[in-house]
Amino acid sequence: MITVLAGGVGAARYLAGLVQVVPPDDITAVVNTADDVWLHGLRICPDLDTVTYTLAGAVDAERGWGLAGETWRAVEALARYTPVAPAGSVAGTTWFRLGDADLATHLYRTARLAEGAGLARVTAEVTRAWGVGPRLLPMTEDPVETRLTVAEEGEIGFQEYFVHRRHDEAVSAVRFAGADRSHPGPGVLDALAEAERVVIAPSNPIVSIGPVVAVPGVSEALAARRADVVAVSPIVAGAALRGPADRLLRGLGHEASVVGVARLYTAVAGTLVLDQADAALAGDVEAAGVRPVVAPTVMSGPAEAAALARTTLVA
Amino acid sequence: MITVLAGGVGAARYLAGLVQVVPPDDITAVVNTADDVWLHGLRICPDLDTVTYTLAGAVDAERGWGLAGETWRAVEALARYTPVAPAGSVAGTTWFRLGDADLATHLYRTARLAEGAGLARVTAEVTRAWGVGPRLLPMTEDPVETRLTVAEEGEIGFQEYFVHRRHDEAVSAVRFAGADRSHPGPGVLDALAEAERVVIAPSNPIVSIGPVVAVPGVSEALAARRADVVAVSPIVAGAALRGPADRLLRGLGHEASVVGVARLYTAVAGTLVLDQADAALAGDVEAAGVRPVVAPTVMSGPAEAAALARTTLVA
């Protein structure tokens, strides 16, 4: 049994590698839900959906999120209402690109939540509909919301930062509102306690893995298994392969390197897989208290993802 | 100033005639909201949307509802989830055909309602976005829900009856749940009091006009203006031109004829426009206490709709 802490695209690709080398039924992913939003009355869970669509082979490979062959009629039609929405309203928002087929997932999820089903149960139904083998567990069913402090303006929401502003903004603080009052989702602590190995996927350590670890009980569960916890660095040669992880690390006073990642994870992960490009930093990782394993980490295709998955199993 | 009591397709076509003969700014429609539903987390107002799309010239003329050139990707994608929805759940429902572009209207409306805007205000925004001249007023902003009693099963909702079962079901009772506790929507009573003429559109008298008149205060307002209230019979030669009005009338013990319509409206309308096909029944309409006006009522195209509108103004 393998349990993976997962954010969005990086984690999804890692998991798509893992299912090639481990029976899918043996895999559990604990997925970040602090990016989830209510928009236009619908509950949207970007990381859960990215992992689901990727494992279903239905993801748009170019974008990394959403469905292949997607159309955008609804969101384009929504633009008609943008000019009539009063100031301060988000009802005419079109920058959050909801695809037509993707909308079905949000419609189904929202209806099930309204019927009283918990997010874990709804997620199980959604993944079953897509024939996804691994079990996806929301990190929590409680409301946790990533909030970022940007210069002058103060706090903004994650999607505002990530999607609307394309993470092109200096961030001086990040917090996970509600995390301190949240509880691990159904099955999460068991999945961490019972796994032979726990992998922290190559997701953004601040805004993807950070919220998962911030759920009370999770860091303790990881610390108790620290020797079996293997993290994969999403930073290669000082840069994020995708997204703002490097800038976020620097903005929050961390080193944007595998060493910075090792220092962030030292309490919860015994091992860090770092790319060959960072082999020279292996000693500094070790000095941060984390055992370095140097291996290719760039998932340029399914074979590379499978190889990385194999590395995390034997590291 | 003309105020029109309106349901869906018939009323929309009548209003599209009326705007040809009266300045659109002089027209107010009080629209049935008892068919409105929450579905998949979205607020759907079928009659308001049918009138809006029709007046915008954007309606699918063949269907009479929804948008021309519509696509159905979202609802088709939703079918993936139908098999995983547990028994009793409506989350996998696909018989309510939500078009992709039409979804934008529901997304916008739902978001604005969640922001605290009333349905009247949201409707004003939606109609402005579509460049619709007449003012559309929801009959109420309170929850009113048409419930129909069908043999053996008991009560079902309006959309279940109308859309899912294609109104192919004997109905023994109809009620408007919540109507007794509802209040007329903003502007409704003024629109009835101040209009030179009030027209009851050729909509279903039971399930389209019935709920409007059931809102406390509306029947009194109509009765006070009875001499200026002109109804158009939706029944021609004993049959509804569209929909189940004739069967509903019979099922509830009324006559499925212009005479039955006159008897239903006698307290609130001084005049009934009936089709030439029913000229022989004019005397019976008169005997029911309603002044009959015989004229063509079948709106086979824009010219016929305009002619009918003219009739209602001079009748």
Side-chain angles (χ1 to χ4, degrees), chain A residues 233-245:
Chain A
S233 175
I235 301 287
V236 175
L241 290 174
R242 187 186 169 91

Side-chain angles (χ1 to χ4, degrees), chain A residues 26 35 54 94 101 107 134 172-173 175 180 199 220 233 236 265 273 300 310:
Chain A
D26 292 352
D35 304 353
T54 301
T94 59
L107 294 170
S172 60
R175 71 182 179 101
D180 53 342
V199 177
E220 294 81 349
S233 175
V236 175
Y265 285 156
V273 178
S300 38
R310 240 176 256 112

Side-chain angles (χ1 to χ4, degrees), chain A residues 70 81 89-90 105 115 130, chain B residues 73 81 89-90 105 115 130:
Chain A
E70 188 59 284
Y81 298 114
S89 167
V90 299
T105 303
E115 288 171 352
W130 285 98
Chain B
R73 291 255 307 166
Y81 298 115
S89 167
V90 299
T105 304
E115 289 171 353
W130 284 98

Side-chain angles (χ1 to χ4, degrees), chain A residues 121-216:
Chain A
R121 180 164 175 188
V122 180
T123 301
E125 292 166 6
V126 168
T127 52
R128 183 148 55 90
W130 285 98
V132 166
R135 189 168 58 132
L136 307 193
L137 302 180
M139 68 183 204
T140 181
E141 292 189 327
D142 298 319
V144 176
E145 205 184 328
T146 298
R147 307 280 301 166
L148 304 98
T149 303
V150 297
E152 297 186 10
E153 238 169 316
E155 271 195 355
I156 59 174
F158 182 80
Q159 299 303 340
E160 171 66 26
Y161 162 73
F162 194 79
V163 179
H164 196 191
R165 308 188 184 192
R166 298 157 195 261
H167 47 72
D168 187 18
E169 189 98 39
V171 172
S172 60
V174 171
R175 71 182 179 101
F176 310 115
D180 53 342
R181 294 180 307 279
S182 72
H183 303 86
V188 167
L189 292 186
D190 285 347
L192 294 174
E194 292 163 12
E196 291 154 53
R197 177 146 296 207
V198 177
V199 177
I200 299 178
S203 295
N204 189 313
I206 304 292
V207 292
S208 295
I209 302 302
V212 182
V213 177
V215 176

Side-chain angles (χ1 to χ4, degrees), chain A residues 193-282:
Chain A
E194 292 163 12
E196 291 154 53
R197 177 146 296 207
V198 177
V199 177
I200 299 178
S203 295
N204 189 313
I206 304 292
V207 292
S208 295
I209 302 302
V212 182
V213 177
V215 176
V218 170
S219 60
E220 294 81 349
L222 290 168
R225 304 293 313 276
R226 187 176 179 279
D228 301 312
V229 178
V230 177
V232 179
S233 175
I235 301 287
V236 175
L241 290 174
R242 187 186 169 91
D246 46 1
R247 282 167 286 134
L248 278 176
L249 283 166
R250 271 194 299 275
L252 300 176
H254 305 289
E255 207 176 293
S257 73
V258 292
V259 182
V261 174
R263 287 180 189 143
L264 275 174
Y265 285 156
T266 188
V268 294
T271 302
L272 181 68
V273 178
L274 43 139
D275 197 75
Q276 291 158 311
D278 292 312
L281 294 173

Side-chain angles (χ1 to χ4, degrees), chain A residues 69-116:
Chain A
E70 188 59 284
T71 55
W72 310 92
R73 292 255 307 166
V75 75
E76 280 162 12
L78 190 59
R80 172 185 296 276
Y81 298 114
T82 309
V84 300
S89 167
V90 299
T93 297
T94 59
W95 52 258
F96 198 93
R97 304 293 288 171
L98 293 167
D100 297 326
D102 180 44
L103 266 167
T105 303
H106 313 314
L107 294 170
Y108 182 78
R109 178 189 295 123
T110 304
R112 290 291 291 131
L113 292 172
E115 288 171 352

